[in-house]
Amino acid sequence: MARDFGPAAGTHQTGPTIRGAPLATSPAALPVADANPLADAILETLVHRIGKDQKAARPHDWLAATILTVRNDIIEKWMTSTREAHAKGAKRVYYLSLEFLIGRLLRDALANLGHTHDIAGALKSLGVDLAAIEEIEPDAALGNGGLGRLAACFMESLASLDLPAYGYGIRYVNGMFRQRLDDGFQVELPENWLQHGNPWEFERRESAYFVGFGGEVVGTDTGQVHWKVGEAVEAMAVDTPMVGWRGKRVNTLRLWTARALDPIRLDRFNEGDFTGALAGQLRAETLTRVLYPNDSTAAGQELRLRQEYFFSSASIQDIVRRHVQYFGDIRTLPDKAAIQLNDTHPAVSVAELMRLLIDFHEFGFDEAWDITKRTFGYTNHTLLPEALESWPLPLFERLLPRHMQLVYAINGKLLREARAAGSDEAAIKAISLIDEGGERRVRMANLAFAGSHSVNGVAALHTDLMKQTVFADLHKLYPDRINNKTNGITPRRWLQQCNPGLTSLIREAIGDAFCDDTEKLDALAAHADDAAFQQKFAAVKRDNKVALAKHLKDLIGLRVDPDAMFDVQIKRIHEYKRQLLNIVETVALYDQIRSHPERDWVPRVKLFAGKAASSYHNAKLIIKLAGDVARRVNADPAVGDLLKVAFVPNYNVSLAEKIIPAADLSEQISTAGMEASGTGNMKFAMNGALTIGTLDGANVEIRDHIGAENIVIFGMTADEVAAKRAGGYNPREAIEASPELGQALAAIASGVFSPDDPDRYKGLMGGLYDGDWFMLAADFDSYAAAQRTVDRRWSNRSDWNSATIRNVARVGWFSSDRTIREYAKDIWGVL
């Protein structure tokens, strides 16, 4: 079996030292007045680890040397954290997620260790600008949207709260994709973030596991069963340290990479079949190439399932191995390990743990099921049926025949319990792990629910809707299982690091207690109506807008006025998030500005960013429409600087860190009842933006915390949306009743914004007349009216500043530290 590394106690890492000692074991240990020893350490690393002298070094050399120098201190803390957890016999949290959108790590690590000032000074003495080299660090391409960013925030908060934890995922070589816009159309290109290596990661060759696929299940002489796999790969661990606030703890993000058991078939190679000789390695590497491969084809679906089982199996084997190594008796697994499934992607872990317990540790089914349920927790992130993963039964059974047997056994136990509880036939069908409606499919969300002692939603509204909709019958069967844990964000990255100007202003006003307890931001509310403070607050915002304006000019060649309102919608492109509503209202506003030049219009800069899934036609068309509208509007002298529009390509964490501090208006306009929580809403509010939004996801709780007067709410509620759908909603009537909406849709459909292809948007607009599942037409007039309310509030800058300051002050509850404390206390039992 593999040995435990995280890094393991006793492992000695060497590297540059300062006067014979490690870099530092605490912020206070670093020199402040004289940075020369630290500069010497960076130079030593540059020469002996990078192989460059000072004169020949390029920016990327200085970046690597700085990371490796800082890393020495992190390693010491990492080892100490691991040793202490072992010594205490601590229960560990294991967070399984297909995404970890961790972004750049240097600035995060320096800030959390308290080393930023000293490293900046040392580099300055060497003629190097820390901010400049931070900018060239690649974003880790390990996620796509809110799911992955939440996982990253949780890993940082777990370390900041001194809770022993591992994150488990896949080390994607090419990420999801790098987005390029060719004539406004999204083009997917590989992310090459690992092209020059990754100085943060540590390969753990001793932590490697056999992961099988296919084959058949055969009986043995002892009455047991044996899965005789058809093919197998080796999963090998690659670890990245996750540094907590003030360096309190360093936890491990363990990502899996795949390799063939036989990397080259020499017999085929020697026969001249060079490609065939490497086929096994290529097949293994495919598992870790791309996040969310296009699953519109059978091959894509199979790859997705292979990926999910690959990382789930490796992770569960690693967890079980570690437990047996340190605690001996596998029966105590629930007492020492809390495994959290971040959505349905790792749901097959339930069946995998059952397989290990029954086939290798020789437990009976009932005892194995009890251990499994007490070990797992499941977080649901969506109410969208298409996002609740299910797999064609023949595919699942072909790839994972032993797991299919276990799914049937679990299902039998589940349905017998449901029958005994009095569930009717309709409820039995909804509860079953096998969907019998049409093509038989394995329901992964139901498997995760059945195999977990806790099932949580991520906002109060979302959790209530889970009980009423997707899990209604399971909730009736297990009424105490569903609970709410509203999402949060780490204030270190999303305030202190990305908005240092605002952080300094807050510290000047209320002290620095908020740095350790974000809810202490509440003291800032006392300054909300102070004219002098408002002026300073507005100046910080303008500085951030000037910086973003420069970035936009450099990136896409667009000049924008930093005194205009920056109106921002940046998130994954999906119809329920309603970027299309925003674009249509932008077209309507454009028409109004041209038709009524006599009115006192508020200048706006409308910014969009986000990626569309490669197979999502309408989402990609919405991106193109945003670009077409931008091209037309930005070139029209009739509107000038009153309206500018831009779709900013390749949205990632680093781009968000530039845009969010500069935003004036945060667009959180999803169809009510369809957004699980959202975390962008929290980030914008914490950085002093006013929210325009529906009562969806965490918007409801944000309104409750900041006050209804400090947010602009529009549109139908979730109950009203459900009632309108049930009542036979006719979008054509809504469109015909709204001249402003009708004119905007007609302009788009007729080719006003796409003269090169007049019919480009005819189908997209026609869909609004024929179906409009996401209620764009139903909410349009309310949204347009809310935007004019925003205009009026912007015109009263004292009122605007007061409201946005109160947003910052009252949003501290939405820290991921609070969220993790709730998980730790209520679900994991580690607090």
Side-chain angles (χ1 to χ4, degrees), residues 328-362:
D329 188 355
I330 193 63
R331 288 178 175 83
T332 64
L333 181 66
D335 302 323
K336 296 298 183 180
I339 305 176
Q340 193 70 28
L341 306 176
N342 193 27
D343 218 2
T344 55
H345 308 123
V348 71
S349 299
V350 172
E352 177 69 358
L353 180 56
M354 289 290 287
R355 181 181 76 89
L356 297 180
L357 292 174
I358 294 171
D359 294 358
F360 290 90
H361 294 273
E362 301 184 351

Side-chain angles (χ1 to χ4, degrees), residues 673-691:
M674 302 197 76
E675 182 72 83
S677 170
T679 53
N681 44 11
M682 305 167 191
K683 294 164 191 165
F684 281 105
M686 190 173 284
N687 282 273
L690 195 71
T691 298

Side-chain angles (χ1 to χ4, degrees), residues 332-464:
T332 64
L333 181 66
D335 302 323
K336 296 298 183 180
I339 305 176
Q340 193 70 28
L341 306 176
N342 193 27
D343 218 2
T344 55
H345 308 123
V348 71
S349 299
V350 172
E352 177 69 358
L353 180 56
M354 289 290 287
R355 181 181 76 89
L356 297 180
L357 292 174
I358 294 171
D359 294 358
F360 290 90
H361 294 273
E362 301 184 351
F363 284 97
F365 180 90
D366 288 342
E367 188 174 8
W369 187 234
D370 177 68
I371 292 171
T372 296
K373 286 194 300 181
R374 290 191 293 121
T375 301
F376 280 107
Y378 161 51
T379 301
N380 173 271
H381 284 279
T382 184
L383 303 173
L384 298 179
E386 67 269 22
L388 290 172
E389 281 191 319
S390 65
W391 298 108
L393 193 145
L395 170 63
F396 194 94
E397 188 163 24
R398 175 169 60 83
L399 279 184
L400 304 171
R402 178 56 178 145
H403 299 77
M404 190 73 253
Q405 291 181 342
L406 291 167
V407 167
Y408 275 128
I410 294 166
N411 200 41
K413 184 176 183 63
L414 178 66
L415 296 186
R416 285 191 293 272
E417 288 182 12
R419 184 73 70 191
S423 298
D424 60 20
E425 285 301 318
I428 291 289
K429 288 181 180 179
I431 288 169
S432 177
L433 305 187
I434 310 298
D435 184 355
E436 303 281 357
E439 179 189 33
R440 299 177 75 210
R441 302 179 72 89
V442 182
R443 293 167 164 159
M444 304 310 288
N446 287 27
L447 175 61
F449 191 113
S452 300
H453 68 277
S454 167
V455 178
N456 70 279
V458 291
L461 174 63
H462 169 237
T463 301
D464 289 343

Side-chain angles (χ1 to χ4, degrees), residues 621-819:
L621 199 57
I622 288 168
I623 292 174
K624 174 60 175 169
L625 176 58
D628 281 347
V629 170
R631 184 172 60 247
R632 177 65 178 266
V633 169
N634 296 344
D636 192 338
V639 296
D641 284 339
L642 290 178
L643 183 62
K644 295 294 183 185
V645 183
F647 191 98
V648 188
N650 203 38
Y651 180 55
N652 58 17
V653 175
S654 295
L655 182 58
E657 290 171 342
K658 291 180 173 66
I659 293 176
I660 289 172
D664 295 304
L665 186 67
S666 165
E667 299 268 357
Q668 308 298 330
I669 60 177
S670 54
T671 310
M674 302 197 76
E675 182 72 83
S677 170
T679 53
N681 44 11
M682 305 167 191
K683 294 164 191 165
F684 281 105
M686 190 173 284
N687 282 273
L690 195 71
T691 298
I692 181 170
T694 52
L695 287 175
D696 194 25
N699 290 356
V700 179
E701 290 156 277
I702 289 175
R703 178 202 61 179
D704 293 343
H705 278 81
I706 68 174
E709 69 279 9
N710 299 311
I711 189 171
V712 179
I713 296 295
F714 74 93
M716 293 180 291
T717 65
D719 288 343
E720 289 168 342
V721 168
K724 187 171 280 290
R725 285 173 176 160
Y729 166 54
N730 184 347
R732 187 174 296 273
E733 290 181 358
I735 294 169
E736 291 174 351
S738 174
E740 196 173 348
L741 172 60
Q743 290 168 16
L745 297 183
I748 295 169
S750 65
V752 168
F753 297 93
S754 55
D756 58 319
D757 183 2
D759 293 336
R760 180 179 294 145
Y761 303 114
K762 188 170 290 184
L764 187 64
M765 296 301 101
L768 298 177
Y769 283 87
D770 298 335
D772 192 25
W773 179 254
F774 302 103
M775 299 286 163
L776 185 153
D779 272 348
F780 178 83
D781 284 348
S782 178
Y783 177 57
Q787 290 285 17
R788 303 295 75 76
T789 297
V790 169
D791 287 344
R792 289 190 292 273
R793 296 192 69 165
W794 177 264
S795 298
N796 183 342
R797 299 310 293 276
S798 177
D799 172 72
W800 182 277
N801 290 333
S802 176
T804 53
I805 292 167
R806 285 188 168 88
N807 268 262
V808 177
R810 294 173 180 169
V811 82
W813 184 83
F814 294 93
S815 165
S816 50
D817 294 352
R818 184 269 314 158
T819 311

Side-chain angles (χ1 to χ4, degrees), residues 473-642:
D473 293 291
L474 279 163
H475 175 58
K476 290 175 185 175
L477 184 60
Y478 304 113
D480 298 325
R481 196 165 294 187
I482 294 179
N483 61 92
N484 179 57
K485 298 290 174 281
T486 299
N487 283 344
I489 59 173
T490 169
R492 269 75 63 179
R493 182 179 289 266
W494 294 111
L495 175 60
Q496 296 176 37
Q497 294 169 32
C498 76
N499 203 339
L502 180 57
T503 301
S504 296
L505 179 62
I506 295 170
R507 184 180 284 113
E508 176 187 314
I510 64 172
D512 59 5
F514 74 95
C515 294
D516 296 295
D517 180 357
T518 313
E519 292 191 54
K520 296 289 179 64
L521 282 170
D522 189 63
L524 197 66
H527 300 267
D529 296 321
D530 180 86
F533 184 80
Q534 284 190 7
Q535 187 176 8
K536 293 178 182 178
F537 185 85
V540 169
K541 177 66 73 172
R542 192 180 190 281
D543 287 346
N544 293 335
K545 292 168 72 174
V546 168
L548 178 59
K550 181 182 184 303
H551 182 72
L552 293 175
K553 176 63 172 63
D554 294 342
L555 184 67
I556 59 176
L558 179 67
R559 295 183 183 274
V560 297
D561 180 3
D563 292 317
M565 181 197 302
F566 281 20
D567 177 352
V568 178
Q569 188 175 21
I570 50 173
K571 54 185 72 221
R572 179 168 56 94
I573 309 299
H574 197 291
E575 287 168 284
Y576 88 83
K577 294 179 182 288
R578 298 204 294 191
Q579 285 93 350
L580 186 57
L581 173 62
N582 192 347
I583 296 168
V584 171
E585 199 279 331
T586 300
V587 170
L589 176 61
Y590 173 56
D591 288 341
Q592 288 293 312
I593 292 173
R594 291 186 299 167
S595 299
H596 297 282
E598 78 284 0
R599 294 181 183 172
D600 189 15
W601 295 103
V602 169
R604 284 193 188 227
V605 175
K606 303 278 286 190
L607 296 178
F608 298 86
K611 296 178 180 179
S614 57
S615 61
Y616 194 168
H617 172 76
N618 276 7
K620 295 174 82 168
L621 199 57
I622 288 168
I623 292 174
K624 174 60 175 169
L625 176 58
D628 281 347
V629 170
R631 184 172 60 247
R632 177 65 178 266
V633 169
N634 296 344
D636 192 338
V639 296
D641 284 339
L642 290 178

Side-chain angles (χ1 to χ4, degrees), residues 34-198:
D34 180 8
N36 286 335
L38 186 50
D40 290 344
I42 295 171
L43 275 177
E44 183 181 338
T45 303
L46 182 72
V47 172
H48 293 106
R49 300 290 297 278
I50 309 302
K52 289 285 188 73
D53 65 24
Q54 186 173 356
K55 291 182 179 179
R58 308 293 294 171
H60 62 267
D61 298 318
W62 288 111
L63 172 65
T66 302
I67 290 173
L68 292 174
T69 304
V70 172
R71 200 181 70 169
N72 294 331
D73 188 29
I74 294 172
I75 290 169
E76 295 294 330
K77 294 178 183 296
W78 202 8
M79 288 181 177
T80 299
S81 298
T82 303
R83 291 191 192 100
E84 288 178 351
H86 290 332
K88 294 176 181 177
K91 184 175 184 177
R92 283 187 174 88
V93 175
Y94 297 105
Y95 197 80
L96 274 61
S97 178
L98 204 59
E99 297 184 40
F100 286 93
L101 200 57
I102 56 176
R104 295 166 174 165
L105 291 182
L106 177 57
R107 186 173 67 181
D108 187 62
L110 290 176
N112 278 1
L113 291 170
H115 291 352
T116 304
H117 174 77
D118 302 292
I119 291 291
L123 287 170
K124 185 177 181 181
S125 73
L126 298 169
V128 179
D129 179 19
L130 172 61
I133 64 169
E134 285 176 342
E135 281 296 310
I136 65 172
E137 182 181 7
D139 272 49
L142 298 172
N144 173 39
L147 183 82
R149 188 52 237 170
L150 180 77
C153 285
F154 279 8
M155 288 302 298
E156 197 266 1
S157 281
L158 281 160
S160 295
L161 295 175
D162 200 16
L163 298 174
Y166 275 71
Y168 282 104
I170 293 177
R171 180 182 179 268
Y172 301 105
V173 176
N174 297 120
M176 183 172 167
F177 58 82
R178 176 169 55 88
Q179 183 191 59
R180 190 178 73 199
L181 300 181
D182 286 359
D183 192 28
F185 287 101
Q186 173 178 290
V187 176
E188 297 95 23
L189 301 170
E191 287 272 15
N192 294 317
W193 72 289
L194 290 172
Q195 184 175 10
H196 302 294
N198 178 7

